[in-house]
Amino acid sequence: MPKLTELPAWKAIESHFTEVEGLHMRDLFAQDSQRFEKFSSQMDDILLDFSKNRMTDESFRLLCNLARETDVEGWREQMFEGKAINISEYRPVLHTALRNRSNKPVFVDGEDVMPKINKVLQQMRYFSERVRGGHWRGYSGHLIKDVINIGIGGSDLGPHVVCDAMKPFAQRGMNVHFVSNVDPTHLSEILKFVEPESTLFIVSSKSFTTQETMMNAHSARQWFVSTTGSEKAVAKHFVAVSSNTQAANEFGILSENIFEFWDWVGGRYSLWSAIGLPIVLYLGMDHFEDFLEGAYAMDEHFRNAPIEKNIPMILALLGIWYNNFFDAQSHAVMAYNQYLRRLPAYLQQLDMESNGKTITRQGERVDYLTGPIIWGETGSNCQHAFFQLLHQGTKPVPADFLIPARSKNPLGSQHKVLLSNFLAQTRALMMGKTEAEARQELESAGVAEDRLEEMLPHKIFEGNKPTNSIMFEKLDPRTLGALLAMYEHKVFVQGVIWNINSFDQWGVELGKQLAGEIMQVLAGDQPPEDYDCSTSGLLDYYSTLKT
Ligand code: G6Q
């Protein structure tokens, strides 16, 4: 298999890049009034306008060729069909089966997995309806008012972003909390405000061995037993979501209260599985199914739309354009929607854990950049914080801007003001402000000649800063499902093109292993003699402070 950088499609982009690098989007827009029509695509009500990017028709054509030459379409089918594309863990990658609303069979090792997926969905419906309808009560007959999800990484970030974003759809009187950090403060601060008799804990862990989750789960159990005085009551207040049902049993959770998922669901892709249980308890199963429907609609679009109109493919190709040719180190995501405030945290894991890799599928070191640093904040807050760097800094930062056309909370003209900021920022980033415009502005403001010359360089904006605008009607479960699936597929396409395995996470496993080793030193063992002096020095300093 030829190296990525030796492929004809890559070489063609490389030589084309030198022609495009110096072009300004302001001129590209002036030359082509059809740019928006040409460079936009729609799936249901989700519109992607990618016209504010530093590319010509030819750039786009060459990028699409790269997707063809790296066989993105072939890999896509392998994923949907359950082939073991996670090559370092020898597993299929089938989060798409979890939201396969067609219910057509999907085979793993000759077994159709749809019946067991449907069975767990039914179990989630039955359980959530009992809890939400007041039939499942706490040990002393109280209604369940607080659900606490204990999980970390993929067993936390997905359900957390969804519950936060879907707050307007939540059942009145039902609260959901997320405990992830092993820092005891996280659990303690939540326990201060809940009553054990009306609290349900979900221990969410694919492996059921993750140190942070297990410690938090044991602490929660201890708190529960010591405040209620009843071991027996644990059964009514603790359920588990895991692919390791035996370990969940051993923790003391009854088999009927364990919600299963499987090793072909990666942690960061698991929110569509039983890991979505907190979502279901908070929003209800019908809303969760709408969420799955939205993701399925995006899956179908991803599978069937031609590359030129395929939203996840386009986002992926543009990301590669900036990452590998403009040397952009990061990619920002700005949701102009307060409900989406956890979106950057979720995307950081999705993207950086998937594509933060240096080894190709053939086991060689890459000689090109792979996954970008993902970051972001909600609009318009971000404008008053780091946007200065986007407008006038030295680093290229391509960005996605997302906004719903309608707000869940229409307050006077506030949503229109939000939208005007969204439009003004993407336009300003693209257009910039020329010297002549800045001069004109200062003159109109009556600035004296000598002062004007001093101020002028500071008032110029280069512009030519790329953005994607993603606009949709409203943020509801269906649209959110589609948006998250859109990003999953974007990450997938980039991984295929970079020729890396997006579905393992050995760096995460390393953290789990190292923390265990150092714990033994903290528990009193001598540090190994070959420990680096920095770690030994910190351990010594800690021992002087801890008492
Ligand atoms: C995700 C990663 C990682 C994982 C957590 C929690 O893809 O594998 O973030 O989700 O480490 O793991 P458990 O669910 O096994 O506790």
Side-chain angles (χ1 to χ4, degrees):
M1 156 135 193
K3 275 171 61 176
L4 174 63
T5 47
E6 282 161 15
L7 291 175
W10 187 274
K11 294 239 172 262
I13 298 174
E14 229 166 27
S15 68
H16 168 78
F17 171 69
T18 55
E19 294 162 24
V20 176
E21 199 184 3
L23 303 180
H24 200 292
M25 279 192 273
R26 183 190 269 257
D27 302 320
L28 296 174
F29 271 93
Q31 287 154 15
D32 185 357
S33 61
Q34 296 304 301
R35 207 172 152 83
F36 172 77
E37 278 75 24
K38 245 191 263 173
F39 294 145
S40 57
S41 183
Q42 201 173 330
M43 196 293 291
D44 291 351
D45 61 317
I46 301 174
L47 172 82
L48 167 67
D49 166 23
F50 59 103
S51 58
K52 292 192 184 88
N53 277 291
R54 295 177 64 177
M55 61 170 191
T56 61
D57 297 4
E58 180 65 357
S59 327
F60 188 50
R61 193 183 69 77
L62 294 174
L63 286 166
C64 293
N65 279 353
L66 179 67
R68 286 198 183 88
E69 215 167 296
T70 48
D71 193 25
V72 169
E73 291 153 301
W75 281 95
R76 177 188 63 193
E77 287 321 293
Q78 289 199 52
M79 174 173 75
F80 277 94
E81 285 168 8
K83 301 284 180 319
I85 60 168
N86 176 355
I87 47 166
S88 69
E89 295 179 308
Y90 311 102
R91 286 176 189 164
V93 173
L94 271 179
H95 46 281
T96 51
L98 300 165
R99 59 210 191 201
N100 167 21
R101 307 306 285 168
S102 75
N103 213 20
K104 284 190 192 135
V106 178
F107 292 98
V108 173
D109 296 331
E111 181 202 357
D112 177 13
V113 295
M114 290 315 297
K116 54 187 187 188
I117 291 174
N118 292 331
K119 193 167 162 222
V120 174
L121 287 173
Q122 272 168 17
Q123 186 193 2
M124 289 163 78
R125 176 176 284 281
Y126 178 70
F127 176 68
S128 63
E129 285 176 354
R130 288 188 69 211
V131 172
R132 291 162 57 88
H135 305 297
W136 172 297
R137 293 186 175 226
Y139 75 101
S140 57
H142 280 74
L143 293 174
I144 298 297
K145 285 194 314 199
D146 291 279
V147 172
I148 301 183
N149 188 77
I150 300 180
I152 196 165
S155 301
D156 165 70
L157 290 157
H160 202 164
V161 68
V162 175
C163 288
D164 248 36
M166 294 292 101
K167 204 172 180 177
F169 298 86
Q171 170 157 308
R172 193 176 274 272
M174 181 68 86
N175 306 304
V176 67
H177 315 268
F178 289 85
V179 176
S180 51
N181 201 335
V182 74
D183 180 342
T185 300
H186 203 175
L187 176 65
S188 307
E189 281 299 332
I190 289 171
L191 293 184
K192 276 184 199 166
F193 299 99
V194 297
E195 304 298 336
E197 57 270 23
S198 53
T199 299
L200 178 75
F201 292 92
I202 307 175
V203 185
S204 288
S205 175
K206 182 176 169 183
S207 58
F208 228 79
T209 56
T210 304
Q211 188 189 42
E212 292 93 327
T213 302
M214 288 304 109
M215 292 199 84
N216 276 322
H218 282 287
S219 299
R221 194 180 195 284
Q222 213 164 26
W223 168 85
F224 181 83
V225 172
S226 65
T227 45
T228 61
S230 167
E231 273 283 345
K232 229 176 110 211
V234 167
K236 282 265 164 215
H237 292 266
F238 282 77
V239 299
V241 179
S242 187
S243 61
N244 185 353
T245 47
Q246 191 188 333
N249 268 149
E250 282 162 16
F251 179 87
I253 295 175
L254 303 177
S255 295
E256 65 262 32
N257 298 335
I258 299 173
F259 298 78
E260 196 186 357
F261 67 113
W262 308 274
D263 68 359
W264 37 262
V265 182
R268 57 193 169 279
Y269 298 89
S270 63
L271 76 169
W272 321 98
S273 72
I275 287 290
L277 189 61
I279 307 175
V280 177
L281 288 164
Y282 191 47
L283 307 181
M285 193 65 190
D286 290 346
H287 285 317
F288 188 68
E289 284 181 354
D290 287 347
F291 176 66
L292 299 181
E293 293 281 353
Y296 175 66
M298 186 55 78
D299 291 346
E300 287 293 287
H301 166 83
F302 178 53
R303 257 183 125 168
N304 299 312
I307 296 176
E308 288 74 7
K309 286 286 164 194
N310 194 308
I311 293 176
M313 297 247 198
I314 295 166
L315 292 174
L317 292 168
L318 288 167
I320 287 181
W321 179 229
Y322 294 116
N323 188 68
N324 296 95
F325 296 92
F326 289 85
D327 287 334
Q329 299 287 326
S330 76
H331 183 92
V333 181
M334 261 68 77
Y336 276 61
N337 184 282
Q338 192 59 22
Y339 287 121
L340 286 175
R341 63 181 176 271
R342 290 199 58 85
L343 184 65
Y346 165 79
L347 292 178
Q348 273 171 346
Q349 185 197 29
L350 173 66
D351 202 320
M352 294 163 78
E353 207 166 273
S354 296
N355 287 341
K357 311 280 165 68
T358 39
I359 300 299
T360 66
R361 288 185 291 241
Q362 291 71 39
E364 284 153 11
R365 197 175 204 290
V366 294
D367 59 356
Y368 42 84
L369 292 179
T370 57
I373 298 158
I374 303 291
W375 58 291
E377 186 41 276
T378 47
S380 60
N381 294 355
C382 48
Q383 294 172 203
H384 301 265
F386 52 76
F387 263 34
Q388 169 59 36
L389 183 144
L390 265 57
H391 284 292
Q392 289 188 308
T394 51
K395 299 193 168 51
V397 184
D400 293 350
F401 280 60
L402 298 100
I403 194 164
R406 291 205 260 135
S407 172
K408 269 274 165 203
N409 302 294
L411 271 187
S413 59
Q414 282 192 224
H415 189 68
K416 278 211 175 99
V417 171
L418 184 72
L419 179 66
S420 69
N421 274 284
F422 173 98
L423 294 170
Q425 287 294 329
T426 50
R427 181 174 150 77
L429 286 163
M430 182 269 281
M431 296 284 281
K433 195 181 281 176
T434 62
E435 182 176 338
E437 286 166 347
R439 182 180 293 281
Q440 164 75 43
E441 212 174 82
L442 289 169
E443 281 170 1
S444 311
V447 177
E449 183 64 28
D450 53 342
R451 182 85 185 108
L452 186 149
E453 292 305 330
E454 267 172 31
M455 286 173 77
L456 192 57
H458 303 280
K459 294 283 205 170
I460 295 168
F461 293 77
E462 281 175 12
N464 219 14
K465 317 283 185 195
T467 59
N468 295 311
S469 298
I470 299 168
M471 193 182 281
F472 41 93
E473 187 192 338
K474 57 188 190 304
L475 189 67
D476 59 14
R478 186 182 166 92
T479 302
L480 183 63
L483 289 172
L484 300 188
M486 171 189 85
Y487 278 114
E488 283 181 349
H489 294 320
K490 169 197 167 179
V491 167
F492 168 78
V493 172
Q494 293 190 326
V496 169
I497 295 177
W498 287 323
N499 187 22
I500 53 180
N501 178 9
S502 301
F503 299 105
D504 59 10
Q505 57 284 315
W506 297 107
V508 180
E509 312 303 335
L510 175 74
K512 292 182 181 181
Q513 180 192 333
L514 294 182
E517 279 170 23
I518 294 206
M519 225 6 234
Q520 291 183 350
V521 178
L522 291 177
D525 283 8
Q526 280 301 311
E529 275 179 12
D530 60 352
Y531 242 39
D532 67 273
C533 60
S534 165
T535 312
S536 304
L538 288 165
L539 283 165
D540 288 345
Y541 186 54
Y542 166 73
S543 60
T544 65
L545 295 180
K546 71 178 174 192
T547 44

